[in-house]
Amino acid sequence: MESPGSVPARPLSYEGVWRFTAPALDVSVPQARHAVRDLIHRQAVPVHDDVLQGLLLIVSELVTNAVRHAALLSPQVAVEVAVGPEWIRVAVEDNHPYRPKALETDSANTGGRGLLLVKEITREAGGECDVEHTASGGKIVWAALPLVPLSGAAPV
């Protein structure tokens, strides 16, 4: 018998890593969100609906940031989805070296808070997020969320 939180002896049917690229264009934002949603449904990932909605918003924010701020140096963005037995991670990679920082709330400015939103969604779900540099000089912005939110509600 496995202890809670241990890694199963063999991967569950929904576990894996998937990666796709998209042009750094506005149209790629909804396409990436829909591709991630469809992948999660196709793989029958047992993710709670609240977590899924937060994850899809994170995908939209991260791809939007890459399109708006990195397209000049990165005509393509890569989206990676990794699913483990108890978590799901999304990452967006571009070739721009700038490491973004989450802005603080400013009621006078309606933009520039995407990463703050990503951090808040991730924190509320009990997950983690970060920005890492790539060997090629670009960056990967990622967020990992538990399949079941902190409240302990059952997955759908």
Side-chain angles (χ1 to χ4, degrees):
M1 180 171 197
E2 297 175 17
S3 62
S6 68
V7 176
R10 63 173 203 233
L12 299 170
S13 61
Y14 59 83
E15 288 184 73
V17 177
W18 297 267
R19 184 177 174 93
F20 59 91
T21 59
L25 301 171
D26 288 338
V27 68
S28 294
V29 176
Q31 289 175 346
R33 185 178 58 249
H34 294 144
V36 170
R37 182 200 61 210
D38 293 347
L39 171 70
I40 290 167
H41 288 299
R42 188 172 58 251
Q43 293 303 122
V45 177
V47 62
H48 190 277
D49 190 56
D50 289 345
V51 174
L52 177 59
Q53 296 311 313
L55 185 78
L56 295 176
L57 183 53
I58 288 170
V59 169
S60 293
E61 291 296 335
L62 296 183
V63 175
T64 295
N65 284 351
V67 166
R68 286 190 180 157
H69 304 294
L72 185 61
L73 297 177
S74 187
Q76 295 279 318
V77 297
V79 177
E80 184 176 277
V81 179
V83 182
E86 298 176 358
W87 51 268
I88 186 165
R89 178 184 187 264
V90 292
V92 175
E93 180 178 349
D94 64 56
N95 293 323
H96 199 288
Y98 174 70
R99 185 179 173 129
K101 294 180 176 74
L103 299 177
E104 296 303 317
T105 303
D106 177 1
S107 59
N109 185 0
T110 59
R113 291 191 290 250
L115 282 181
L116 184 64
L117 181 60
V118 168
K119 288 177 80 170
E120 187 62 22
I121 292 169
T122 303
R123 183 192 63 74
E124 285 181 8
E128 299 178 39
C129 61
D130 203 359
V131 180
E132 300 172 358
H133 289 288
T134 64
S136 64
K139 67 182 163 303
I140 299 171
V141 185
W142 61 268
L145 306 177
L147 293 177
V148 178
L150 285 180
S151 66
V156 290

